[in-house]
């Protein structure tokens, strides 16, 4: 893991544990996210459309066995679901902005159920301009939600009613590669959710995407 990002992530986690450093932790989190977003923006500026669909590590184990387009979709679908459906109990950006149609996506899920050629085929269908519009909107809306949290709200657990509502939206596939996400998220408190989907999850997929980019452009 990138040492700078890893250290920032650790600092943020430490800051989030104490009431007197919690707000500083939010600043650390947002700074980390801004750095990672700059990498994603650089992809849009520097890579060809075909590069976003490339899957050079198709048979590998790890986050790098995807495409860059898929990775971006996956990061932000998860964040949108967790931030809105589970934490703020509001409507997802995806549905409010009619992004399925705009992005031309065949799915509304996180994409965990897709494998190998399915990932490449999925990636080719996406409207990248609209995908990027989506990720900017999700990032901004998540950060407004996090900014509005009090320290005590970090300990809030996800209710059984919210968990059932999440299931009813069908945004997580019933496939065995995806369905575990519901129990995983709903077993965490708000602090735990911030520390994974909103930060560490970004790092892992951005690093994997950089690995893909470097392999394509050897």
């Amino acid at each position: 893991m990138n040492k700078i990002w890893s250290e920032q992530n650790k600092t943020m986690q430490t800051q989030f544990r104490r009431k007197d450093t919690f707000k500083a932790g939010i600043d650390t989190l947002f700074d980390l996210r801004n750095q990672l977003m700059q990498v994603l923006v650089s992809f849009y500026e520097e890579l060809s459309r075909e590069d976003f669909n490339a899957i050079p590590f198709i048979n590998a184990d790890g986050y790098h066995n995807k495409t860059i387009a898929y990775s971006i979709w996956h990061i932000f679908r998860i964040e949108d679901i967790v931030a809105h459906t589970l934490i703020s109990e509001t409507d997802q950006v995806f549905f409010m902005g009619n992004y399925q149609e705009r992005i031309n996506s065949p799915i509304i899920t996180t994409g965990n159920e897709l494998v190998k050629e399915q990932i490449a085929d999925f990636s080719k269908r996406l409207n990248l301009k609209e995908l990027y519009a989506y990720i900017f909107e999700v990032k901004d809306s998540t950060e407004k939600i996090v900014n509005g949290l009090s320290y005590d709200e970090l300990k809030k657990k996800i209710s059984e009613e919210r968990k059932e509502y999440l299931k009813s939206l069908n945004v997580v596939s019933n496939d065995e590669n995806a369905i575990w996400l519901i129990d995983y998220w709903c077993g965490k408190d708000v602090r735990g959710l911030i520390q994974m989907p909103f930060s560490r999850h970004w790092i892992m997929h951005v690093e994997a995407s950089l690995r893909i980019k470097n392999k394509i452009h050897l």
Side-chain angles (χ1 to χ4, degrees):
M1 191 181 281
N2 177 296
K3 282 186 179 177
I4 294 171
W5 297 341
S6 179
E7 285 305 312
Q8 272 189 287
N9 195 45
K10 284 179 189 169
T11 299
M12 179 269 293
Q13 290 184 21
T14 301
Q15 290 170 323
F16 264 71
R17 289 192 196 109
R18 291 176 47 186
K19 193 169 187 174
D20 61 337
T21 55
F22 160 57
K23 290 297 182 186
I26 292 178
D27 291 339
T28 305
L29 171 65
F30 290 178
D31 181 53
L32 172 62
R33 286 162 59 88
N34 286 338
Q35 290 177 55
L36 294 165
M37 183 59 98
Q38 283 177 353
V39 176
L40 298 182
V41 170
S42 75
F43 292 157
Y44 190 71
E45 292 171 347
E46 297 168 14
L47 299 180
S48 71
R49 184 63 188 84
E50 290 70 30
D51 290 342
F52 279 89
N53 310 332
I55 190 163
F57 300 105
I58 192 166
N59 293 313
D61 271 338
Y63 290 94
H64 57 298
N65 68 1
K66 321 289 185 194
T67 68
I68 293 173
Y70 169 93
S71 299
I72 294 170
W73 166 274
H74 176 74
I75 292 168
F76 289 91
R77 278 307 287 128
I78 283 182
E79 176 158 314
D80 194 6
I81 292 163
V82 170
H84 292 90
T85 301
L86 296 182
I87 296 179
S88 70
E89 302 189 1
T90 52
D91 292 327
Q92 292 172 33
V93 170
F94 187 75
F95 297 119
M96 293 289 285
N98 192 31
Y99 274 108
Q100 182 178 14
E101 185 178 330
R102 288 168 61 182
I103 297 171
N104 192 38
S105 172
I107 62 173
I108 64 169
T109 61
T110 63
N112 285 67
E113 68 277 14
L114 302 179
V115 294
K116 299 191 176 183
E117 284 84 3
Q118 293 174 333
I119 291 173
D121 292 341
F122 166 74
S123 302
K124 290 169 190 170
R125 294 188 59 168
L126 304 183
N127 180 319
L128 278 190
K129 183 179 178 184
E130 293 295 348
L131 177 61
Y132 270 82
Y134 174 61
I135 74 172
F136 289 133
E137 196 172 338
V138 171
K139 179 178 181 288
D140 289 347
S141 64
T142 296
E143 291 172 4
K144 286 191 179 86
I145 290 166
V146 172
N147 246 335
L149 291 171
S150 68
Y151 177 74
D152 290 336
E153 285 175 305
L154 295 181
K155 300 168 192 169
K156 180 185 170 189
K157 289 277 197 176
I158 307 304
S159 70
E160 197 59 36
E161 291 78 14
R162 265 291 118 177
K163 184 176 181 180
E164 290 305 311
Y165 178 65
L166 170 60
K167 289 179 183 176
S168 76
L169 293 176
N170 297 314
V171 291
V172 177
S173 167
N174 287 322
D175 185 278
E176 64 179 358
N177 290 324
I179 195 65
W180 61 271
L181 279 170
I182 294 175
D183 285 337
Y184 176 76
W185 294 333
C186 295
K188 293 185 177 292
D189 58 12
V190 170
R191 180 193 284 112
L193 292 173
I194 290 169
Q195 289 174 345
M196 185 56 183
F198 300 172
S199 49
R200 190 162 179 268
H201 191 240
W202 275 48
I203 294 172
M204 293 188 299
H205 280 286
V206 169
E207 289 195 331
S209 296
L210 283 167
R211 193 168 171 186
I212 294 166
K213 176 193 172 186
N214 293 336
K215 179 70 173 177
I216 302 167
H217 290 275
L218 277 176

